[in-house]
Amino acid sequence: MMGVKMTKSYKIEIPLPKRYDFKSVESKWQRRWEEWGIYKFDKEDKTKPTFSIDTPPPYPSGEFHVGNALNHAYIDFAARYKRLRGYNVLFPQGWDCHGLPTEVRIEKKLGKTKRDIPRGKFLELARKFTLEWIKPMREAIKRLGCSIDWTTEYMTMDPDYWRRTQLSFIEMYNKGYVYRAEHPVFWCPRCETALAEAEIEYEEVERELYYYNFELVDGGKVTVASTRPELLAACVALLVHPDDTRYKHLIGKKARIPIYNREVPILADPEVDPNFGTGVVMVCTYGDKTDVRWQKRYNLPIIKVIDEQGRMTENAGPLKGMSILEARRKIVELLRKEGYMVKVEKIKSNVGKCWRCHTPVEILPKTQWFVKTRELKDRILEEAKNIKWIPPHARKRLEDWVKSLDWDWPISRQRIFGTPFPVWYCRKGHIIVAKPEWLPIDPRFQKPPIDKCPKCGSELIPEEDVMDTWMDSSITAAVHAGWPDNMDERLFPADLQPNGYDIIRTWDYYLIVRGLILFGKPQFKTALINGMMRGTDGRMMHKSYGNYVSLLEVLDKYGADAFRLWVAIAVKPGSDLRFSWEGLEFARRFLIKLWNIGRLAYLYIHEFNVEDLNVNHKELRAIDHWILKELSDTINTVTNALEEYDYQEAVTKIVDFVWHKLADHYLEAIKYRMNIEEEKKKTAYVLYGILRDVLIMASVFIPHIAEEIYYGILGGKPWKSITIAPWPKPPEYDAEKASIGEKIIKVIAAMRRVKHDLRMPLSAEIPKVILYYLDEESKKVLHSGLEDIKGTIRIQEVEIKYGKGRYGVEELDNISFDVM
Ligand SMILES: [Zn+2]
Ligand SMILES: [Zn+2]
């Protein structure tokens, strides 16, 4: 097709340039679409069905990376498809501003910790940097061609968003779902804040397992194995398995802690693993989550040996003031010196680390606000079944997570840049929660409208902590729907919840939790889960691995359409995909193909006013019916695939149709008709319909080039944009003629191959060809396709007769031919 020779003596001016320049085309349409406001959710429209998307608000990290882009591409495919299907689509965009990532970055940028910067100043900087970091990300999303309704843009650090988050807290408090209590929580000593279980990442590391002796009070000794001897001062008991015959006689006795000489009981508990170490476990407050359980179960004392900054407290005696690592070295030295140490082994074990700064976390008892998530477990598991998960196994991930949770959700963060708790305490311990009309309020800086405790009249002390950032982002679906001021029930629960599988355990989970508490239902109906973008080497993409690819580099080199097309083709939603320049190259080649098809189509359709171009299908040729059947199949397949969010299937079908049916065969077989007066109208009619429908479907994935061809070749009519056209209906065709057409196409393909094998240029004329048939049906096919075969292959004389020739036709045993 690419080598088409213009046989016409005059030159037709094609409105699109030869070379497709994605750079100017993409930015032009992005600007225009936004100016036209065609992707705005129409609040007033009550006729169209609505489709609401709970767009995940990204962290303002300053860079929108290829993984974010994958997520947003998936969302945009859904938004564009639903719009074409006639839905009034809400595709909002927000920014999840608060929380650790921003604070950690500010601290790193300034080389100071939050302690060294006044709180007001810190907040001011956090807001300023957040706005700066959002800018390039917003730009990147726009360059990706996402059909976002930008009038909806919000930031969770805005006072109006604070008001919503704070109100959601008050409602949960009034419903009895939040409480304040002292409970052990995960603690990052670097970030100096509590963390939820969802914020802990486990990493397997090699570390030392120390074996050392405890003296028994009644004489003798017992050996204990532990990776954390620096916690000795916090040891409150030794535990053995009740059936462990080695130690049965010790149960109920007492042991003396080395160095510290304090006595602790020896207890039996079935949770002890007799195969780990010596089978004797030292319970410390707290080494890990099991210690928390044991402390509670046996009502053991709590001895805090590590403080909020990760320093040893005075309870640690000779270790006081040391860091955890220094303390470990010191206690090992002391145990050796005093003769307690038996041996040291290397083992591999999991260490919990802060998700943001990767510092190993500790467990500290803290007075915090908690959400009662444990009692919701069963309901969450039940409701998760009513949500459609794509892919279906994503639900398992949520279920496993919910089942693994031991603690309620701690929502207090000892940080600065976050939504403040609308809460005060009085000297006598009463809790005063703000009235909704006081919101938004920052108790750290603003006085409440009352100045005394309403219960006892004593002075008010503001809450200094802020909320976990997931408190902001776990009400997004409701906020998008207008909660609490003008909730549009049509938009809630959200129709689509699109996110990566890495945040199923946070975002999806918290959205369900908050939905159940605040609204009595989950906040979304369908969860569309995307995989992770890996580097070209297949490993997780990471700057330190040297396999990192910047989205801007991709967009500069290939443009948005190529990226979007590639991510759609590469995998099905839910699977990881490996970054591939070859994949982008393939996508680019397809775009060029489509571009050339558009330009070629112009030669056929430019003479007609295509909108009222109508031809009775009875007049169409067999190969026309064949291509209409292929188009019809394509529309059906693409529609069904997109209904199931199977982008790979949809786009593969479009590419296959365009490349391997339309370009490779049909366009070749109609070239000769361009100069035949009575064929012109029919060809233009068929080609126009195909191009229009292909562009509409393709605009889900590659909207820029689709729009450019629509305007350049089809004149930009009748719709303002091809991206808001009605979804195509499968065209009518005659099945019998289509089947004949398919065979004619095969004959033509076989003859082209032969021409190629004989080293004849495709444009070269062949003096004579004899076509052979062995049955009546094949005879009919050959007669019906005579003109198409003759015209396409450029044969001067054709003879059709019974028999068998030298060259066969693939899949058609009863047809053959000879080239004379
Ligand atoms: Zn941290
Ligand atoms: Zn009081």
Side-chain angles (χ1 to χ4, degrees):
M1 191 221 80
M2 228 60 77
V4 58
K5 290 263 188 312
M6 291 302 132
T7 47
K8 294 202 169 184
S9 51
Y10 61 94
K11 198 170 175 290
I12 298 162
E13 200 62 51
I14 301 174
L16 296 180
K18 235 179 168 162
R19 215 184 124 260
Y20 176 52
D21 174 21
F22 70 83
K23 278 193 177 149
S24 62
V25 168
E26 291 188 349
S27 59
K28 174 181 76 184
W29 288 115
Q30 286 156 14
R31 269 198 317 275
R32 225 168 265 183
W33 292 329
E34 204 178 327
E35 278 163 24
W36 289 346
I38 53 174
Y39 302 140
K40 270 195 190 131
F41 175 72
D42 187 351
K43 281 197 184 90
E44 305 310 316
D45 181 286
K46 303 286 182 219
T47 54
K48 286 186 193 165
T50 58
F51 186 81
S52 55
I53 298 168
D54 188 15
T55 319
Y59 276 117
S61 64
E63 189 186 354
F64 197 77
H65 55 77
V66 283
N68 293 134
L70 168 69
N71 180 229
H72 260 64
Y74 278 7
I75 306 173
D76 194 50
F77 300 157
R80 289 186 178 277
Y81 172 65
K82 290 292 176 182
R83 224 176 267 117
L84 293 164
R85 295 288 293 184
Y87 285 82
N88 187 5
V89 173
L90 174 67
F91 184 178
Q93 182 64 53
W95 302 96
D96 189 9
C97 307
H98 290 136
L100 278 182
T102 303
E103 289 201 9
V104 172
R105 281 192 68 191
I106 290 169
E107 287 172 334
K108 281 192 177 148
K109 206 173 160 114
L110 302 179
K112 292 175 176 177
T113 72
K114 62 175 181 178
R115 290 167 179 276
D116 311 323
I117 309 162
R119 195 158 56 182
K121 181 75 191 159
F122 192 95
L123 268 181
E124 197 185 301
L125 284 173
R127 293 210 175 93
K128 182 175 151 257
F129 285 131
T130 300
L131 289 175
E132 259 173 46
W133 292 331
I134 285 174
K135 255 187 243 163
M137 298 178 76
R138 186 191 291 119
E139 221 33 62
I141 295 177
K142 289 189 176 182
R143 278 189 67 186
L144 201 57
C146 292
S147 56
I148 286 166
D149 178 353
W150 284 99
T151 62
T152 60
E153 191 178 2
Y154 64 91
M155 297 176 197
T156 57
M157 65 179 184
D158 290 343
D160 187 57
Y161 201 97
W162 272 19
R163 174 177 70 91
R164 297 169 200 257
T165 305
Q166 290 181 329
L167 180 65
S168 73
F169 171 83
I170 294 172
E171 290 199 0
M172 286 169 72
Y173 179 80
N174 292 339
K175 289 180 174 184
Y177 274 99
V178 286
Y179 64 94
R180 192 170 150 82
E182 192 190 67
H183 188 274
V185 291
F186 283 112
W187 186 271
C188 175
R190 200 225 70 89
C191 299
E192 291 182 51
T193 185
L195 297 170
E197 286 173 279
E199 292 167 294
I200 311 304
E201 286 173 351
Y202 288 90
E203 196 183 310
E204 194 183 67
V205 295
E206 195 181 59
R207 55 204 300 206
E208 281 82 24
L209 180 65
Y210 301 94
Y211 289 75
Y212 44 86
N213 290 328
F214 275 58
E215 279 163 13
L216 296 167
V217 173
D218 297 347
K221 55 195 173 187
V222 63
T223 309
V224 172
S226 167
T227 54
R228 300 203 60 186
E230 73 276 15
L231 296 179
L232 263 179
C235 176
V236 287
L238 295 184
L239 288 191
V240 297
H241 193 278
D243 303 330
D244 194 334
T245 48
R246 294 172 295 176
Y247 304 116
K248 259 194 165 152
H249 64 286
L250 297 181
I251 298 168
K253 301 262 165 72
K254 289 196 165 179
R256 202 171 288 124
I257 306 174
I259 313 296
Y260 297 94
N261 289 320
R262 190 161 43 77
E263 289 177 13
V264 291
I266 303 174
L267 308 169
D269 188 279
E271 255 193 275
V272 174
D273 176 5
N275 299 317
F276 180 79
T278 60
V280 184
V281 181
M282 149 175 128
V283 181
C284 303
T285 49
Y286 298 97
D288 58 25
K289 276 163 86 175
T290 20
D291 286 340
V292 176
R293 279 202 296 281
W294 283 327
Q295 182 276 326
K296 267 217 170 105
R297 196 173 293 160
Y298 301 108
N299 199 19
L300 299 165
I302 297 167
I303 302 169
K304 187 175 162 184
V305 292
I306 295 172
D307 73 8
E308 282 69 6
Q309 290 163 278
R311 296 262 153 200
M312 303 308 287
T313 67
E314 56 188 20
N315 289 331
L319 311 180
K320 188 193 159 192
M322 294 181 183
S323 75
I324 293 160
L325 288 179
E326 285 165 0
R328 191 173 305 156
R329 269 196 297 273
K330 182 72 187 173
I331 197 79
V332 167
E333 185 193 310
L334 291 174
L335 287 168
R336 281 212 174 98
K337 212 163 88 188
E338 307 279 327
Y340 292 104
M341 192 65 82
V342 178
K343 61 171 177 173
V344 183
E345 272 176 5
K346 290 266 188 189
I347 58 157
K348 281 195 172 151
S349 74
N350 280 325
V351 174
K353 296 186 168 179
C354 168
W355 70 297
R356 200 33 66 171
C357 74
H358 309 293
T359 303
V361 292
E362 297 297 334
I363 295 175
L364 297 183
K366 299 296 283 183
T367 301
Q368 306 271 300
W369 284 99
F370 291 89
V371 178
K372 288 183 185 171
T373 45
R374 274 177 310 170
E375 65 185 59
L376 286 170
K377 251 185 188 183
D378 292 340
R379 270 188 75 200
I380 294 168
L381 293 173
E382 208 42 48
E383 291 290 352
K385 289 182 196 155
N386 301 326
I387 293 166
K388 179 170 179 166
W389 297 87
I390 296 161
H393 60 78
R395 191 182 94 203
K396 178 86 171 39
R397 233 182 154 96
L398 179 88
E399 288 174 348
D400 289 347
W401 173 249
V402 172
K403 287 175 187 163
S404 78
L405 290 169
D406 295 321
W407 300 344
D408 279 338
W409 173 19
I411 53 169
S412 298
R413 294 292 177 273
Q414 291 64 44
R415 300 296 306 178
I416 296 166
F417 188 40
T419 305
F421 282 93
V423 169
W424 296 261
Y425 310 101
C426 86
R427 299 262 173 227
K428 293 199 171 150
H430 295 125
I431 294 173
I432 296 95
V433 172
K435 300 250 178 297
E437 54 271 25
W438 302 357
L439 307 179
I441 193 161
D442 189 344
R444 298 172 298 176
F445 302 99
Q446 292 166 273
K447 283 198 182 317
I450 53 168
D451 55 2
K452 293 264 182 314
C453 172
K455 288 191 183 123
C456 69
S458 66
E459 196 193 333
L460 298 180
I461 306 151
E463 167 66 273
E464 302 272 326
D465 288 351
V466 294
M467 294 184 211
D468 179 358
T469 182
W470 290 106
M471 282 288 283
D472 302 340
S473 51
S474 56
I475 53 170
T476 45
V479 171
H480 296 154
W483 182 83
D485 313 313
N486 43 4
M487 183 88 148
D488 187 335
E489 295 296 336
R490 297 176 301 168
L491 303 176
F492 190 81
D495 292 289
L496 190 66
Q497 186 64 41
N499 56 259
Y501 64 64
D502 55 330
I503 55 171
I504 290 175
R505 67 179 200 175
T506 46
W507 203 35
D508 291 336
Y509 167 70
Y510 289 137
L511 274 164
I512 297 174
V513 165
R514 310 281 317 280
L516 291 179
I517 297 174
L518 293 167
F519 309 103
K521 56 188 169 189
Q523 298 184 69
F524 55 92
K525 296 174 191 164
T526 296
L528 173 64
I529 305 300
N530 63 270
M532 300 293 113
M533 181 77 82
R534 292 173 175 269
T536 45
D537 54 2
R539 293 196 295 170
M540 282 301 173
M541 203 180 262
H542 207 278
K543 277 182 179 148
S544 67
Y545 294 167
N547 63 359
Y548 189 85
V549 180
S550 120
L551 178 66
L552 293 184
E553 186 188 351
V554 173
L555 295 180
D556 283 343
K557 285 185 179 157
Y558 286 90
D561 281 346
F563 175 82
R564 298 165 58 106
L565 184 64
W566 166 63
V567 296
I569 288 180
V571 290
K572 288 196 192 297
S575 303
D576 284 358
L577 78 168
R578 185 188 278 222
F579 187 85
S580 160
W581 291 108
E582 293 81 10
L584 285 162
E585 190 55 39
F586 173 86
R588 191 181 70 89
R589 288 209 316 272
F590 177 77
L591 297 180
I592 293 170
K593 187 64 125 174
L594 186 62
W595 184 254
N596 289 330
I597 290 169
R599 294 182 78 243
L600 182 71
Y602 187 77
L603 302 180
Y604 294 88
I605 61 184
H606 74 282
E607 287 178 36
F608 301 93
N609 180 7
V610 286
E611 281 172 83
D612 35 64
L613 185 63
N614 215 345
V615 171
N616 189 329
H617 279 213
K618 286 201 174 82
E619 292 172 34
L620 298 179
R621 309 179 71 86
I623 59 164
D624 298 334
H625 284 280
W626 166 72
I627 197 72
L628 290 178
K629 177 194 174 289
E630 292 293 340
L631 176 65
S632 175
D633 289 352
T634 302
I635 293 172
N636 285 328
T637 302
V638 172
T639 308
N640 294 336
L642 287 178
E643 284 297 323
E644 295 300 319
Y645 300 91
D646 188 343
Y647 301 135
Q648 190 183 41
E649 164 107 5
V651 82
T652 304
K653 187 72 182 175
I654 294 173
V655 169
D656 182 61
F657 173 78
V658 169
W659 210 320
H660 303 303
K661 302 290 191 311
L662 181 63
D664 283 355
H665 295 295
Y666 185 72
L667 291 178
E668 291 296 335
I670 60 171
K671 256 179 216 166
Y672 81 98
R673 279 152 69 174
M674 200 184 291
N675 299 323
I676 304 170
E677 209 50 44
E678 59 271 26
E679 290 292 331
K680 273 187 179 173
K681 192 177 168 194
K682 285 188 261 176
T683 319
Y685 165 76
V686 174
L687 209 47
Y688 166 73
I690 293 172
L691 191 59
R692 176 199 58 206
D693 291 357
V694 162
L695 291 178
I696 295 172
M697 289 189 287
S699 78
V700 167
F701 302 101
I702 46 175
H704 308 89
I705 194 171
E707 191 82 301
E708 184 72 3
I709 297 174
Y710 172 61
Y711 267 85
I713 302 300
L714 306 185
K717 281 182 220 166
W719 314 289
K720 185 158 194 174
S721 163
I722 193 87
T723 66
I724 51 168
W727 189 250
K729 287 189 189 64
E732 283 173 24
Y733 61 88
D734 180 319
E736 201 190 328
K737 285 184 185 159
S739 158
I740 292 172
E742 186 174 4
K743 287 169 185 156
I744 297 169
I745 289 293
K746 281 184 177 144
V747 174
I748 291 175
M751 298 179 99
R752 285 175 64 203
R753 257 192 306 276
V754 167
K755 229 173 159 179
H756 176 263
D757 291 348
L758 295 173
R759 294 172 192 274
M760 291 172 82
L762 286 175
S763 57
E765 295 222 332
I766 301 178
K768 187 176 177 182
V769 165
I770 304 172
L771 294 165
Y772 296 97
Y773 59 86
L774 288 172
D775 62 354
E776 279 308 304
E777 204 207 311
S778 301
K779 184 180 175 186
K780 195 172 152 194
V781 168
L782 294 176
H783 278 285
S784 162
L786 182 60
E787 271 178 67
D788 297 316
I789 295 168
K790 217 174 144 181
T792 305
I793 305 297
R794 299 178 66 85
I795 311 168
Q796 282 168 350
E797 192 196 336
V798 176
E799 195 183 325
I800 299 177
K801 62 182 189 191
Y802 180 84
K804 204 162 165 66
R806 183 173 166 201
Y807 303 106
V809 178
E810 215 176 301
E811 289 172 49
L812 300 179
D813 295 340
N814 293 330
I815 295 178
S816 55
F817 59 91
D818 277 333
V819 177
M820 310 308 280

